[in-house]
Amino acid sequence: MKRRAKAIMIQGTMSNTGKSLIAAGLCRILWQDGYETAPFKSQNMALNSFITTEGLEMGRAQAVQALACGKEPSVLMNPILLKPVTDMGSQVIVMGEVQGNQKAMEYFRHKKEYLPEIRKAYDDLAEQNDVIVIEGAGSPAEINLKQDDIVNMGMAELADAPVLLVGDIDRGGVFAQLIGTVQLLEKEEQDRIKGLLINKFRGDASLLTPGLKQIYDKCGKEVLGVIPYMDVDIEDEDSLSEKLWQREKGEKIDIAVIHVGKLSNFTDFQAFAVEEDVTVRYVEKREELGNPDVVILPGSKNTISDLLALRENGIEAAILRLSEKGTLIFGICGGYQMLGRTITDSSGTEGEKRTCRGMGLLPVHTAFAREKTRTRTEGICSILSGEFSDLSQKKVKGYEIHMGESVREEGAEPFLILQGKEDGCVCRNVAGTYLHGIFDEKAFCSTFVRMLCERKKLPYREGKKETYEQYRERQLDILADTLRSCLDMRRIYEIIGLKQPLREVVPAQIEKESFAIIGRELEHRGICLPAEEEMVTKRVIHTTADFDYVKNLYYSEGAVEKLRKALREGACIVTDTQMAKAGINKKTLGKYGGGVYCFMSDEDVAKEAKERGCTRAFVSMERAAALGKPLIFAIGNAPTALVSLYELMEKKCVEPAGIIGVPVGFVNVVEAKELILEKKEEVPCIVARGRKGGSNVAAAICNALLYGIQEKG
């Protein structure tokens, strides 16, 4: 019996609801959980494409989703790719090969003919995997397009896939989106929808609860998750990408990318995310250009038309003026062609036969051809002179995808040597290349940014130590963590027809993985903890699974280092519960000569408190004060213990080496903590402001302090 994968399909109420991102996240989760997983989208329309190892072309979104599954991208995952060349037509790519240009009506008349290719591609994937995550396109409720549909409900039927429908609350009207879409579908199509997702929510999800019930009442579909607005940095596929709306300049290095009309492969600039002090912004109008440190002309699907548009709107003239002033100008693929002297389209590859004058910044002449160059390649920068000399001999890798050949004038300098072949051109402060993904190579990207810093007489900061590939993997993990936290994954596994496994993690690795998840979620929330406090706060979050402690934990000046110094010199710890005492690592504490004391449950303490008419907490604090040792008080339960400690300090009966004030509760808890904060100038303290805390939190802080001593050696 042949293997046949289960399937789940993500459809949206409209374009740009986040289908691609959610599909990538589900791919990652299923892969993490041990299932052989692959993405699939029968028909993709995008200018951002990817070249496979075989030299075939597919949609970038499915390539990223494949990487989320730990798989090499394959055209089986995206059998049809449409690349718009005009507002009315597209280049049609089937199984990675160009079939020619077709107007929209022509394509719609013939698209059913591609159904065998789609079916075979899907079947081949299904035989190789446990589950296929299918992505739809646009909306399934476009009633004018439902006939002969091959990408939404038509594809769901072909694969017999259950559907999750995604709505975008950030754009408004999400209830109308979801209910309206369901009601416009046929009964059998409605039955395929097994759950709804609300995406891009900002704020407290509990506010949506009444609305979620009304959605169910009106259309009988359950909302299986409210997904927060995610700031994950994962490659986009089309012109609706929010990245293309970035306009603000950075404080240091300002990279201006010209947003041409048919901009393609803008993922070329994603790698700058791992560099400190670099801002990439997209320029559509002449007045937005300003004085950037470098102007980048990106790839274009319609090079001549886009060049003429830049000429008409004044951006070309502005670029020429910047070039004269010495600003670096860099072109990739179509942008490289624009920088040359002439572009000739003798066969009408981009619509009409014509020759166009280029910007004239590079001694290069380009002629279009019907055959498309598609290849993955690597090499080095040539030995360069002028402004780009720092890049000499740097390794590069990426892919070429273009329908033109550019020839340098005699004596002109090539920019790259790719597998023995010269590529591109460089002339003083202007350079161009056909190589997409050139900045993905860390050494090249870092050198490029360092070069810009030196020109601006700024210090260069190395940035993130990871490569772009490592950065992308981390972002995919953040995406998966976020979806796990807000989706009903138990129900989604039931819908797919798979058993939700317990993730196999070696016991010794559980804590390590937990801290990695915490780190990724903090990054996702845009939170950067002070270095001294980081591990203490993270351990508290690890203990409680509560990220509120990021803002609740108060540290007096130098508290962590002062408390660690006290422990290193033999200070003992006094707690108010046996639970906290049990949770503190006494073996590690003993290495430094310290011990743990808890008097609260002692019978004689209770007896004395009763006789004196005071609290056990007060007597316990007195007993501790009488020890005559350096003491750190770790209070996680009894606010009265903190009040008693404060009173003893007022009477000069005790001088703590430190206070960890994290009692939990409702009565006098907040007030007791604030009393201790009055002593923050006298004694180092860590206090959980508000009602939250507990014995486990007190123990976690103590252990974080002790482990920090060990790490520092």
Side-chain angles (χ1 to χ4, degrees), residues 574-575 597-612 615-629 631 633 644-645 648 653-654:
V574 177
T575 77
Y597 296 91
C598 178
F599 301 104
M600 288 282 281
S601 58
D602 291 1
E603 289 184 12
D604 59 333
V605 168
K607 183 180 177 183
E608 183 178 342
K610 186 176 180 181
E611 290 172 351
R612 293 170 57 184
T615 64
R616 285 184 298 155
F618 187 81
V619 177
S620 294
M621 295 300 102
E622 281 189 330
R623 293 280 179 98
L627 290 172
K629 299 179 179 181
L631 300 173
F633 289 83
S644 299
L645 180 59
L648 290 168
C653 296
V654 65

Side-chain angles (χ1 to χ4, degrees), residues 8 19 165 396 400 577 589 621 681:
I8 183 74
K19 297 185 294 292
L165 181 66
V396 294
E400 292 183 49
T577 66
L589 180 60
M621 295 300 102
E681 303 298 331

Side-chain angles (χ1 to χ4, degrees), residues 61 218 220 245 430 504:
K218 289 184 180 294
W245 293 98
V430 183
E504 291 186 16

